[in-house]
Amino acid sequence: MGSGLQEGDLANPDLTWERGIKYNAGIDMDMFNNRLSLSIDAFYERRWDIITNTGGSDVVGIPDVFGKTSSYVNAGEVINRGFDLEVGWNDRIGRNFNYYIRFNAGFARNKILDMMEIDRAVPWMQRTGHRVGEYFVYEVDHFVKDQAEADRLNAMNDGSGFQPWGKLSPGDVVYKDLNNDGKINEDDRTVIGNPSPKWIFSMNNNLSYKGFDLSIYLQGVSGNDIFNANNITNEGMAGAANQTTAVLNRWTGEGTSYVMPRAVLNDPAKNNRVSDRWVEDGSYLRIKNITLGYNFPKKWIKKLTLENARLFVSCDNVATITGYSGFDPEVDINGIDNNRYPISRTLSLGVNFNF
């Protein structure tokens, strides 16, 4: 077998770092004898000359007929804005009860100002002006009601059908024709959902009474969406692959479920096209940790030549409140849950000694 050289993709000798400018305005204060603390930081950031791949089909570049992949250029521009907030309260009740509560919240939004995007045939397909990473998917209109409807849809467009992926049967998904051209294609996809949370928040609480202490840590997000790609396995019905219990709630005849389409091997009608049926609210509130401890009185441990001795029990990932149907709403930054292994709950018991 021979070897040789070939010319690579087009280079850009002028490619450089992206640039940006960021403005911050904040305030920090302590009040009521340091019992109340408050910190607020607002920011605005604009980044430009972002490295952009001009070889994709959705940006202005060199067409494929040229025979080479277009080079990367400094062209993208994005703005980010938001604020961070922290509020804390630290106090004592009586001689033995102490507590503090600290709440953190962050709000952020971004917008694409420029990405060298081509002019789209329909305005709802434009990425420019939207947030980074938004989902562009089909919208589900309904499931095929009966064979008469299936025959009518399959006969459209001179027999090529309303949807180009295969013949429809009762119980198959029918997507919305957003541009009203009588067929489903890429121009019928639109923005539905975004993986980036509007809000990220947490709360840390600590209480102590005599030798006992209790800490509770809460964490969560709000305003984001998850693309639940686990449904690919459920709806594709590929061979003997295991399925989740969600398949028990699929379409089995007129008047039955409109949550999942009919069961069909290898899905010839492509019911598993990326659509809004897979986009779910990713908001959640999680009890990340609860720790209960007891510090033994010094008079008890003095004879053991110990400075301190503490017994504790701790639990991580105690519980999660969410409407998301997947195993875990805390998915990767791109918002796609592709059979992510669920987070584990752990229980720990221990003793700390200081000599």
Side-chain angles (χ1 to χ4, degrees), residues 25-317:
I27 184 171
D28 296 290
M29 63 176 66
D30 294 303
M31 297 177 286
F32 307 116
N33 294 324
N34 294 323
R35 287 181 295 175
L36 175 65
S37 62
L38 176 65
S39 176
I40 302 175
D41 179 70
F43 65 88
Y44 175 89
E45 180 181 29
R46 184 172 71 92
R47 305 193 71 85
W48 64 95
D49 284 349
I50 297 173
I51 297 176
T52 304
N53 181 4
T54 59
S57 60
D58 58 347
V59 296
V60 177
I62 296 177
D64 293 339
V65 69
F66 184 76
K68 282 294 175 184
T69 300
S70 184
S71 61
Y72 287 83
V73 298
N74 296 101
E77 185 174 357
V78 174
I79 60 170
N80 296 275
R81 56 191 182 277
F83 66 87
D84 297 304
L85 168 70
E86 180 177 299
V87 181
W89 180 266
N90 178 36
D91 204 356
R92 170 181 291 181
I93 299 176
R95 297 179 56 186
N96 299 311
F97 185 76
N98 297 275
Y99 70 96
Y100 77 79
I101 301 172
R102 183 164 295 140
F103 175 77
N104 296 272
F107 173 86
R109 267 292 172 262
N110 60 55
K111 183 168 70 172
I112 300 172
L113 298 183
D114 186 15
M115 55 175 286
M116 293 187 65
E117 185 177 18
I118 62 174
D119 290 330
R120 306 282 183 174
V122 290
W124 54 80
M125 281 291 290
Q126 293 291 145
R127 270 69 167 171
T128 305
H130 288 283
R131 291 173 287 166
V132 176
E134 287 187 317
Y135 307 127
F136 282 77
V137 299
Y138 295 100
E139 288 188 75
V140 173
D141 189 76
H142 65 283
F143 289 178
V144 178
K145 179 181 178 181
D146 51 30
Q147 189 60 50
E149 182 184 8
D151 293 340
R152 178 178 61 81
L153 292 171
N154 292 330
M156 294 178 65
N157 299 302
D158 298 324
S160 62
F162 177 63
Q163 296 175 184
W165 307 299
K167 295 294 184 181
L168 291 169
S169 297
D172 285 334
V173 175
V174 178
Y175 300 101
K176 289 185 179 180
D177 181 14
L178 297 183
N179 60 353
N180 296 314
D181 64 352
K183 58 185 177 182
I184 300 298
N185 51 38
E186 288 293 308
D187 291 339
D188 294 305
R189 293 167 62 189
T190 188
V191 175
I192 298 177
N194 187 282
S196 301
K198 286 184 180 179
W199 293 93
I200 299 175
F201 50 86
S202 65
M203 179 178 287
N204 195 9
N205 307 277
N206 188 280
L207 304 90
S208 63
Y209 179 74
K210 294 186 176 180
F212 293 93
D213 61 85
L214 175 67
S215 65
I216 304 173
Y217 178 56
L218 310 176
Q219 178 262 333
V221 301
S222 178
N224 63 303
D225 299 285
I226 297 174
F227 187 82
N228 189 356
N230 299 306
N231 289 329
I232 295 175
T233 302
N234 288 334
E235 299 184 8
M237 296 294 288
N242 289 331
Q243 314 293 320
T244 70
T245 56
V247 300
L248 300 176
N249 191 30
R250 62 168 65 248
W251 190 92
T252 56
E254 185 176 351
T256 61
S257 172
Y258 286 91
V259 177
M260 272 196 174
R262 68 188 178 105
V264 53
L265 185 63
N266 297 326
D267 191 17
K270 298 296 186 293
N271 289 316
N272 61 353
R273 304 296 292 188
V274 291
S275 70
D276 58 345
R277 290 192 307 115
W278 293 5
V279 179
E280 301 183 37
D281 184 2
S283 303
Y284 70 88
L285 174 63
R286 170 167 286 160
I287 305 176
K288 291 287 287 185
N289 176 268
I290 296 178
T291 299
L292 176 64
Y294 179 72
N295 293 282
F296 292 96
K298 291 187 178 296
K299 63 181 180 179
W300 291 9
I301 61 175
K302 185 176 181 180
K303 293 181 180 180
L304 301 175
T305 66
L306 295 175
E307 288 291 331
N308 295 289
R310 181 173 182 266
L311 174 68
F312 70 91
V313 58
S314 178
C315 184
D316 292 318
N317 304 311

